[in-house]
Amino acid sequence: MAKTIRIGILLSGGGRTLENILKHIRKGTLKGLAEVAVVVASRPGIRGIEIAEAAGVPAHVIRRNPGAPGSVQAYSDAMVARLDERKVNLVCMAGFLSYWVIPERYLGRVMNIHPALLPAFGGEGMYGHHVHEAVLARGCKVSGCTVHFVNNTYDDGPIILQRPVPAYAEDTPDDLAARVFREECIAYPEAIRLFAEGRLRIEGRIVHVLAGGKPTKPRSR
């Protein structure tokens, strides 16, 4: 039986992804498999902190001082100290917009969800509506979401799973964002479940999803 993993959530905004993960822990895909051990926010006064506190999850604000020497590393060290303190097994970035340096011992234990089908429309500055605007401006017929392991290059880590959606010429960025987010609400809990069950194996840039010791396709709903 899979163990209950302790998740650290990193966020910078409204907390919709945190809300979805908590819902799946209470009565869905992640019940008995995961718990949110800590939330770390990059700025104060955001709804994500309120959601964490309402759920009884410790929430901390860690802000970077961009003018200070070595600020990125100092910021990253403070983040990792919080995660270590709460004995986190898996870190889930949930709309987290601050760059941090992931130490080697955390590689393979940090996930992110991106609102496009990587490697297209990724990289520094490509987040939220910037992504959906770029997809529509390019005339893409398909978009979607990607859950991937995170390394220290923007949107470059090994892909765990993807879920596509159609993109229509008449779409606004809000239309496409809503369609993609519905799939994010399925994809992220699914990826966390596979991690908790020990079914993800990274080989170079490829993530294999295991069932009975053999690679297989992720379960969809």
Side-chain angles (χ1 to χ4, degrees), residues 6 13 15 62 70 77 98 108 125 144 146 164 187 196 201 217:
R6 294 173 61 80
I62 302 178
D77 290 346
S98 292
T146 302
R201 186 181 70 212
K217 295 180 181 178

Side-chain angles (χ1 to χ4, degrees), residues 30-151:
L30 300 174
K31 186 175 182 180
L33 290 176
E35 61 179 329
V36 178
V38 67
V39 167
V40 178
S42 64
R43 54 198 179 101
I46 56 176
R47 181 172 173 266
I49 296 173
E50 296 174 7
I51 293 169
E53 291 174 345
V57 176
H60 305 277
V61 177
I62 302 178
R63 304 182 75 172
R64 182 184 157 202
N65 179 3
S71 62
V72 173
Q73 191 61 58
Y75 178 68
S76 304
D77 290 346
M79 299 246 319
V80 171
R82 285 294 186 190
L83 298 171
D84 286 346
E85 177 183 70
R86 298 298 297 170
K87 297 181 171 56
V88 165
N89 306 113
L90 175 68
V91 180
C92 292
M93 296 171 63
F96 188 67
L97 302 181
S98 292
Y99 181 78
W100 65 297
V101 179
I102 301 169
E104 186 173 354
R105 62 191 171 84
Y106 267 87
L107 293 176
R109 295 199 290 131
V110 182
M111 288 183 185
N112 184 44
I113 190 158
H114 186 75
L117 298 176
L118 292 174
F121 303 103
E124 187 173 1
M126 293 299 285
Y127 60 88
H129 269 52
H130 298 292
V131 176
H132 304 304
E133 289 165 2
V135 167
L136 295 174
R138 188 62 181 81
C140 294
K141 308 303 185 264
V142 176
S143 190
C145 62
T146 302
V147 186
H148 63 98
F149 284 114
V150 180
N151 58 25

Side-chain angles (χ1 to χ4, degrees), residues 191-207:
I192 295 168
R193 180 183 71 83
L194 293 169
F195 181 92
E197 292 176 347
R199 293 177 54 201
L200 299 178
R201 186 181 70 212
I202 304 172
E203 293 184 354
R205 295 186 61 81
I206 306 297
V207 177

